[in-house]
């Protein structure tokens, strides 16, 4: 058979199988699948300036939420953007009183990728004098969380999350969970919540945290070493924009044969993670900072062969389990448990900065 016809048959088989799968879903599933794919295409081509996630104007908006020791209903009082708001009653309890929403498939309120926006906002009307803080928790698909405590003032409260800040802790391309809760409330609390939305806020780049920021200036280390001896190494790093967080240094010495395994699964592996001498939040732009000098002892039990040195910066305050669709673009790399800063150096692959041959 002509190779051209073979290719057409394969393409048709793949397309028809996908189409058959979609239409075997329930009508709601088919609709949501098509809507999700269409939204994703539009977002990648032309992200909107503002995106309403939930404004409580439709019955479906209320079905997205789950109550724990709380009650949710529509209300025409204190709307912020249209006709309705959500009246939430938090009941007194020893434990958690919560209003939460989550969707691991389509994303939080059916928008999984928040990286096109700079702000996440919503409004709360509070008619009471509150001393207990409202806890707000956001989570990504790998289980990383950011949590904020807010003392609500009497009257209108605008809640704003700067995604440039929380995007260094959670994977903004995979947001799936939001929880608004009180801990051990000792009285009934009534709030009116409305207008959950994402805003680009004049974002010039296509995505927030769109640019790599870490630069490897040079590495000083031997190209050969012997088992049972120490090696001395140093790395010089710089950043092209100020860092608002204090990152830790990771230094991993591994057999090249085990480089594709997770660190905890490697046998011939040395971890020399540590705090940098100067906190990264105090690093100045384009100034070279030395990591080291550091001595690493190579055990005699390590086999002869080629080893690699991985060096970089990671966020020690955020950890998640492995998630196969974790994003790796711009400033942040979420492909491991701890988020890591990405290098501007195009020649660096998998944070490998040097190779060392271990001899007898």
């Amino acid at each position: 058979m002509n190779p051209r016809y073979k290719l057409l048959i394969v393409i048709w088989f793949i397309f028809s199988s996908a189409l058959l799968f979609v239409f075997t879903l329930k009508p709601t599933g088919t609709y949501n699948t098509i809507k999700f794919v269409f939204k994703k295409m539009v977002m990648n081509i032309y992200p909107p300036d503002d995106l309403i996630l939930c404004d409580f104007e439709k019955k479906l908006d209320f079905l997205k939420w789950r109550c724990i020791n709380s009650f949710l209903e529509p209300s025409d009082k204190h709307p912020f953007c249209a006709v309705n708001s959500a009246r939430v009653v938090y009941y007194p309890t020893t434990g958690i009183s919560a209003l939460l929403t989550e969707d691991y498939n389509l994303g939080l309120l059916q928008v999984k990728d928040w990286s096109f926006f700079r702000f996440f906002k919503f409004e709360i009307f509070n008619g009471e004098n509150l001393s207990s803080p409202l806890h707000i928790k956001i989570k990504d698909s790998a289980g990383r969380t950011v949590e904020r405590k807010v003392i609500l003032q009497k009257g209108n409260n605008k809640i704003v999350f700067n995604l440039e800040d929380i995007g260094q802790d959670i994977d903004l391309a995979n947001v799936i969970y939001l929880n608004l809760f009180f801990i051990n409330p000792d009285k009934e609390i009534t709030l009116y919540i409305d207008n959950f939305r994402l805003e680009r806020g004049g974002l010039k780049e296509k995505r927030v945290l769109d640019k790599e920021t870490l630069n490897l200036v040079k590495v000083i280390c031997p190209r050969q070493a012997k088992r049972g001896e120490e090696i001395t190494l140093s790395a010089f790093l710089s950043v092209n924009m100020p860092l608002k967080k204090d990152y830790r240094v990771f230094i991993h010495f591994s057999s090249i044969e085990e480089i594709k395994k997770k660190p905890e699964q490697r046998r011939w592996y040395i971890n020399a993670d540590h705090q940098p001498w100067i906190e990264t939040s105090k690093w100045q732009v384009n100034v070279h900072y030395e990591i080291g000098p550091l001595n690493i002892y190579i055990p005699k039990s390590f086999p002869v062969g080629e080893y690699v040195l991985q060096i970089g910066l990671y966020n020690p305050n955020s950890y998640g389990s492995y998630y196969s669709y974790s994003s790796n673009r711009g400033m942040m790399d979420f492909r491991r448990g701890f988020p890591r800063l990405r290098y501007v150096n195009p020649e660096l692959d998998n944070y490998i900065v040097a190779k060392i041959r271990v001899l007898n």
Side-chain angles (χ1 to χ4, degrees):
M1 184 184 290
N2 190 313
R4 190 176 179 183
Y5 294 145
K6 283 184 179 179
L7 180 62
L8 287 173
I9 291 172
V10 170
I11 292 172
W12 169 249
F13 176 77
I14 294 173
F15 174 76
S16 58
S17 299
L19 200 64
L20 183 63
F21 170 74
V22 169
F23 284 103
T24 54
L25 297 171
K26 293 180 180 179
T28 328
T30 305
Y31 171 74
N32 283 337
T33 303
I34 294 172
K35 186 172 74 170
F36 176 73
V37 172
F38 179 74
K39 273 185 179 180
K40 197 167 184 179
M41 288 172 60
V42 171
M43 192 83 73
N44 277 282
I45 297 170
Y46 187 71
D49 291 333
D50 303 292
L51 181 62
I52 299 296
L53 298 175
C54 181
D55 58 6
F56 298 105
E57 298 302 320
K58 302 182 293 293
K59 184 178 180 180
L60 181 62
D61 290 337
F62 291 87
L63 298 178
K64 297 173 183 176
W65 297 84
R66 181 156 58 96
C67 295
I68 300 174
N69 295 320
S70 64
F71 176 73
L72 173 70
E73 67 176 356
S75 173
D76 59 0
K77 295 181 178 179
H78 311 294
F80 287 89
C81 61
V83 177
N84 295 324
S85 65
R87 178 176 177 266
V88 187
V89 180
Y90 292 91
Y91 297 125
T93 183
T94 54
I96 301 293
S97 180
L99 177 71
L100 65 89
T101 178
E102 61 184 328
D103 190 327
Y104 282 80
N105 297 316
L106 299 180
L108 180 55
L109 299 169
Q110 298 189 337
V111 179
K112 203 170 193 179
D113 191 346
W114 289 20
S115 65
F116 296 96
F117 302 91
R118 178 173 282 172
F119 299 109
F120 168 55
K121 299 180 180 181
F122 60 97
E123 271 84 19
I124 297 176
F125 178 85
N126 166 44
E128 307 172 33
N129 293 315
L130 295 180
S131 56
S132 300
L134 173 69
H135 295 252
I136 305 170
K137 181 183 288 188
I138 303 174
K139 188 188 299 184
D140 69 14
S141 297
R144 300 182 190 89
T145 62
V146 290
E147 185 174 329
R148 179 184 296 177
K149 292 190 290 185
V150 178
I151 295 293
L152 296 174
Q153 304 301 314
K154 196 168 184 178
N156 295 338
N157 294 262
K158 179 178 282 189
I159 310 298
V160 179
F161 281 84
N162 187 330
L163 300 184
E164 290 178 316
D165 292 335
I166 72 171
Q168 298 175 58
D169 295 308
I170 65 172
D171 183 359
L172 290 179
N174 291 286
V175 183
I176 53 92
Y177 175 98
L178 173 65
N179 191 353
L180 314 176
F181 63 97
F182 289 93
I183 299 176
N184 301 325
D186 57 3
K187 66 175 184 177
E188 189 174 287
I189 300 170
T190 299
L191 302 177
Y192 295 86
I193 303 176
D194 199 6
N195 200 19
F196 291 89
R197 64 199 183 277
L198 296 168
E199 295 180 1
R200 281 184 63 79
L203 185 64
K204 294 180 181 178
E205 294 79 19
K206 189 173 183 181
R207 296 175 185 267
V208 71
L209 304 176
D210 200 35
K211 300 183 184 301
E212 301 87 350
T213 185
L214 186 62
N215 177 46
L216 176 69
V217 181
K218 66 177 177 179
V219 175
I220 300 174
C221 68
R223 298 305 173 191
Q224 292 184 344
K226 291 185 178 181
R227 298 187 298 174
E229 294 184 0
E230 285 187 345
I231 61 171
T232 301
L233 60 92
S234 286
F236 292 83
L237 306 178
S238 68
V239 290
N240 58 22
M241 61 176 286
L243 299 177
K244 296 181 180 180
K245 295 184 180 293
D246 287 324
Y247 288 84
R248 279 176 59 90
V249 177
F250 68 85
I251 298 180
H252 299 166
F253 180 82
S254 307
S255 168
I256 198 169
E257 295 179 359
E258 296 187 314
I259 194 62
K260 291 185 179 180
K261 296 180 181 179
K262 295 179 181 179
E264 59 270 20
Q265 298 173 337
R266 300 175 191 174
R267 295 178 61 196
W268 322 116
Y269 168 71
I270 297 171
N271 182 326
D273 295 358
H274 65 278
Q275 297 283 3
W277 298 113
I278 300 175
E279 295 93 338
T280 59
S281 60
K282 297 178 181 177
W283 284 17
Q284 298 180 28
V285 173
N286 297 328
V287 173
H288 299 173
Y289 291 91
E290 183 177 10
I291 305 300
L294 185 71
N295 294 329
I296 292 181
Y297 174 77
I298 302 175
K300 289 185 178 180
S301 60
F302 276 31
V304 170
E306 191 170 36
Y307 288 73
V308 295
L309 192 62
Q310 295 172 294
I311 296 178
L313 298 180
Y314 73 96
N315 183 350
N317 299 314
S318 175
Y319 182 79
S321 59
Y322 176 74
Y323 178 64
S324 57
Y325 297 102
S326 295
S327 63
N328 173 37
R329 65 167 72 93
M331 181 178 176
M332 303 304 301
D333 179 358
F334 288 95
R335 294 175 300 171
R336 287 291 183 266
F338 292 101
R340 300 173 293 181
L341 288 180
R342 294 186 66 229
Y343 278 114
V344 300
N345 311 69
E347 70 277 8
L348 293 184
D349 180 41
N350 197 18
Y351 299 88
I352 296 174
V353 300
K355 293 182 180 180
I356 301 173
R357 179 160 288 280
V358 172
L359 309 172
N360 259 321

